[in-house]
Amino acid sequence: MTETVLYNYLMKPQNMLNFLFITAVFLFGFSAVTFAESSTSTGQINAEILSNIWYSTTTVNENDIINIYAGFQNHSIKNLSGTAGFFIDDIQISKMNFVASPKSLIKLQSEYKAVRGDHTSQVKILDIVEIGGSILNKLSTENLLAKETEKNSLKVEYKITKEEVVKIAGNVASNVIKVIDTQAEKLADYVESLKDKTTETSESSSVSKTSEQIAQEKLTGKVLGISDENTTDTQNEGQDSQTNKKFSFYNMFLDILAFLLRHWIWVLVVVIILVVYLAFR
């Protein structure tokens, strides 16, 4: 039924012309909108990003969260929309979308967690479009009067805390103690190497004679009919006694010195306590 009515309607010349006109207008309008959305203007755009950058604070410490600011000025009578990218040392850290009305100046901003050191910051316009009702006319950022700011220096200072000072001091003290321990051990070994070896040999030999060698010497004296037990042993013991007395104190002194070197920390503590006692008694 519907098809029959439509057929009869289109059979009339006037109705056919009206139908063709409406169809042509619809197709042209649709094509115009599609073209406008996908086309890129090649004319210069009377808008720009300002060259300077500023920050939310003049002094920036490590781990501070600050705002980075830039300005975008639209000198034209067009409604513009776009995206701005924020860069630290040429690395993009964030981006924001913006809309700039005709004859307006807007603020672009982004947060940044400060990292210690000297840096450079910059803001760039990544894309720009013209808003015309429901039509978005894509523009080229190259046609802006300026599409990026100048690079601005950003110095982030190192903030020293009490905890970090204590930690650094502890690490330094630990390293110093390790170095001193190593050198003290070497020095103690050197001191022990200065001990007289003759005394140690004499003592060890006298100890070894207390069993087999002494008995053999006595047996030899009896066989030969010579009793040199008292004379020889007495002379040797006298000489050994004088030698031991001469060097035993020397070796004992070196042993004590080596012991003190290996336990230098306790020696230092005792010396400090003694100095404090003498100073405040």
Side-chain angles (χ1 to χ4, degrees):
M1 180 68 179
T2 304
E3 295 177 355
T4 304
V5 173
L6 180 61
Y7 176 79
N8 292 331
Y9 176 80
L10 293 177
M11 286 298 97
K12 297 179 180 181
Q14 185 63 34
N15 294 337
M16 177 63 72
L17 291 175
N18 292 336
F19 177 77
L20 293 175
F21 177 76
I22 294 173
T23 302
V25 170
F26 175 78
L27 292 175
F28 177 78
F30 178 79
S31 299
V33 171
T34 303
F35 177 78
E37 289 181 345
S38 60
S39 64
T40 300
S41 175
T42 58
Q44 190 174 48
I45 308 168
N46 194 14
E48 62 182 330
I49 189 171
L50 304 183
S51 60
N52 292 329
I53 289 178
W54 67 99
Y55 310 106
S56 55
T57 179
T58 55
T59 302
V60 184
N61 295 318
E62 185 180 20
N63 294 326
D64 285 351
I65 298 178
I66 65 171
N67 286 326
I68 302 175
Y69 299 108
F72 183 84
Q73 188 162 14
N74 182 9
H75 307 280
S76 71
I77 57 174
K78 300 176 181 179
N79 285 307
L80 300 177
S81 175
T83 304
F86 292 78
F87 295 79
I88 298 294
D89 298 331
D90 297 323
I91 299 175
Q92 184 176 328
I93 60 170
S94 63
K95 62 181 180 180
M96 69 163 291
N97 298 322
F98 66 89
V99 175
S101 302
K103 306 296 182 180
S104 66
L105 174 63
I106 63 171
K107 179 173 64 178
L108 308 175
Q109 71 178 71
S110 176
E111 285 188 348
Y112 170 64
K113 185 175 182 180
V115 177
R116 181 196 318 179
D118 295 330
H119 308 281
T120 58
S121 60
Q122 189 177 29
V123 183
K124 302 178 182 180
I125 302 300
L126 304 179
D127 57 68
I128 190 78
V129 296
E130 179 187 355
I131 305 174
S134 60
I135 300 175
L136 297 179
N137 183 20
K138 186 175 181 180
L139 308 174
S140 173
T141 57
E142 298 295 333
N143 294 330
L144 290 169
L145 298 179
K147 68 173 184 177
E148 60 186 41
T149 67
E150 296 178 351
K151 289 186 177 181
N152 197 353
S153 62
L154 175 61
K155 184 176 182 180
V156 180
E157 299 179 355
Y158 176 44
K159 187 176 181 180
I160 301 178
T161 62
K162 181 178 67 175
E163 292 76 12
E164 290 178 336
V165 171
V166 173
K167 183 178 179 181
I168 292 173
N171 292 336
V172 172
S174 177
N175 292 332
V176 170
I177 289 174
K178 289 180 180 179
V179 172
I180 296 178
D181 275 340
T182 302
Q183 298 302 321
E185 187 68 28
K186 292 180 179 179
L187 185 58
D189 292 339
Y190 173 73
V191 169
E192 288 182 338
S193 69
L194 298 177
K195 292 171 63 176
D196 185 75
K197 306 300 181 181
T198 304
T199 304
E200 294 179 354
T201 305
S202 176
E203 291 175 352
S204 61
S205 63
S206 63
V207 171
S208 62
K209 285 182 180 181
T210 57
S211 56
E212 298 177 355
Q213 292 183 0
I214 293 176
Q216 183 65 31
E217 290 176 358
K218 289 182 179 180
L219 180 61
T220 304
K222 290 180 180 180
V223 170
L224 295 176
I226 302 173
S227 178
D228 59 351
E229 178 181 352
N230 294 331
T231 56
T232 305
D233 290 346
T234 302
Q235 292 176 358
N236 290 337
E237 288 177 1
Q239 292 177 356
D240 291 342
S241 176
Q242 292 178 357
T243 304
N244 290 340
K245 288 180 180 178
K246 181 178 180 181
F247 292 103
S248 61
F249 178 77
Y250 174 73
N251 286 352
M252 183 176 65
F253 172 76
L254 293 181
D255 286 335
I256 294 173
L257 182 58
F259 176 82
L260 294 177
L261 287 171
R262 288 192 172 94
H263 299 83
W264 65 271
I265 293 181
W266 294 109
V267 175
L268 181 61
V269 171
V270 172
V271 170
I272 293 174
I273 292 175
L274 182 59
V275 171
V276 172
Y277 171 75
L278 294 176
F280 293 97
R281 67 173 181 173

